Amino acid sequence: MPGDPPALDRAMRVLRTYARIYTSDLETTTAALTAATGAEMGIRFAMPNGLRLASVGRILVVAGDDMTLAPYRATQATVIVDDLDQFHTALVAAGAEIIRGPQAVPTGRNLTARLTPDVQIEYVEWNETQWQRINAAHPSQD
């Protein structure tokens, strides 16, 4: 039946969710968030397109100039998932528009999907190196 979710071999899992903040000044923004929340800076990396990213708690700070940030500003959250391919299948079956990806990124693989005209989310499956970087066990080892 149209609109029914696809049959999957196992339940998909959302492992983490990050709210997004866009800025032109990564250092000032992460310092302000660290001071306001008491959380330490977690991941930090640069993308080949000039974006610089860092997390403070469960907030992902995305920094760049206005032109570099423009294609990403519509994305409201980043969701870390256990199996990007399964999420991709489910999103397409649900009628989501795939905006970018699936593609390789410094932390693993990602895709960005528009679920409705007002809801756009980035889905990321972290690689083993990223799980080590944040000192956490890969979920397959749970």
Side-chain angles (χ1 to χ4, degrees), residues 30-112:
T30 55
L33 285 169
T34 298
T37 65
E40 294 183 17
M41 189 178 333
I43 59 175
R44 183 180 180 131
F45 61 94
M47 297 288 290
N49 63 2
L51 288 178
R52 295 176 24 207
L53 295 88
S55 66
V56 176
R58 294 295 170 97
I59 300 170
L60 181 64
V61 181
V62 183
D65 60 37
D66 285 339
M67 191 165 80
T68 305
L69 287 172
Y72 302 93
R73 285 192 183 273
T75 304
Q76 294 106 344
T78 296
V79 178
I80 309 305
V81 301
D82 66 332
D83 188 326
L84 188 66
D85 294 328
Q86 279 195 315
F87 273 87
H88 184 215
T89 298
L91 288 162
V92 169
E97 177 187 357
I98 305 302
I99 304 299
R100 279 181 296 281
Q103 62 191 357
V105 293
T107 57
R109 296 173 49 234
N110 81 341
L111 69 81
T112 301

Side-chain angles (χ1 to χ4, degrees), residues 127-142:
N127 57 26
E128 187 62 39
T129 301
Q130 179 58 29
W131 286 108
Q132 291 171 0
R133 200 176 287 138
I134 65 163
N135 296 316
H138 189 283
S140 66
Q141 299 171 356
D142 291 348

